[in-house]
Amino acid sequence: MDRRRGHSHTHPHGHDHDHHGEHGHRHDHDHHHDHGGPGHNRAPDRRAAQWQTPHSPEEQRAAPAEPDLDKVEAAFIEGFIDAPDPVSFLRLGRIPFEMVAADGAKLNLLRVEIDALADVGSLTPHLGGGSFRYDPLPASLVSHRRRLRFVYFDGDKLRPLTFADVRTQ
């Protein structure tokens, strides 16, 4: 059978259909396997699934406008950290030094911030949602990530923008 055509089968998905975990169901969908990309042949994700308080709005990311923007951002972070000439690296990465915001304010780039973050605990809400249970994570489940911000000045205040924000300008 051609792998690019849809087919029916039963397998678990992490949809919120019940509160007791995953269950199987029938459905049709396309699989485009490249033996290493997304799909059923990929190794299972070993990161911890956990309930957490939502991140603040400035930490939430919009849907990427270009494919693999998260991978491009990760490569940008690594390259910027090791760059002998950070200003030239910003130019190479098409990061604007001056731009106009959606509200018409002129923005000038002042600083690039790269933070190292590690999630070391999980929160699980109790039934009813009025309280929660906290659990420290074992070392094997601690997740590490970096956060990149470009800090612009609008003539009045600082405005931190994400990589996606500056790439869409």
Side-chain angles (χ1 to χ4, degrees), residues 34-84:
D34 62 358
H35 301 288
H40 294 283
N41 292 339
R42 190 170 148 186
D45 191 350
R46 300 275 188 238
R47 291 177 294 182
Q50 54 186 295
W51 291 86
Q52 294 184 354
T53 55
H55 293 287
S56 61
E58 67 265 4
E59 289 186 37
Q60 294 179 356
R61 296 175 188 260
E66 60 183 272
D68 296 325
L69 186 62
D70 57 334
K71 291 180 175 88
V72 174
E73 181 177 7
F76 181 91
I77 289 170
E78 293 305 315
F80 186 80
I81 289 171
D82 295 332

Side-chain angles (χ1 to χ4, degrees), residues 24 36 38-39 46 66 112 116 126 128-129 137 140-141 151 154 159 161 165:
R46 300 275 188 238
E66 60 183 272
V112 177
H126 287 133
L137 295 172
S140 63
L141 296 180
V151 181
D154 67 4
R159 293 193 191 187
L161 301 177
D165 293 336

Side-chain angles (χ1 to χ4, degrees), residues 9-10 28 46 63 66 68-69 82-83 86 91 94 100-101 110 118 124 126 131 152-153 158 163 167:
H9 61 146
T10 302
D28 293 330
R46 300 275 188 238
E66 60 183 272
D68 296 325
L69 186 62
D82 295 332
R91 286 190 181 106
R94 297 182 304 153
V100 177
L110 293 181
T124 306
H126 287 133
S131 60
Y152 287 83
F153 183 66
L158 297 177
F163 187 69
R167 294 285 292 216

Side-chain angles (χ1 to χ4, degrees), residues 121-142:
S122 69
L123 297 174
T124 306
H126 287 133
L127 191 60
S131 60
F132 61 89
R133 182 178 122 185
Y134 169 76
D135 292 300
L137 295 172
S140 63
L141 296 180
V142 170

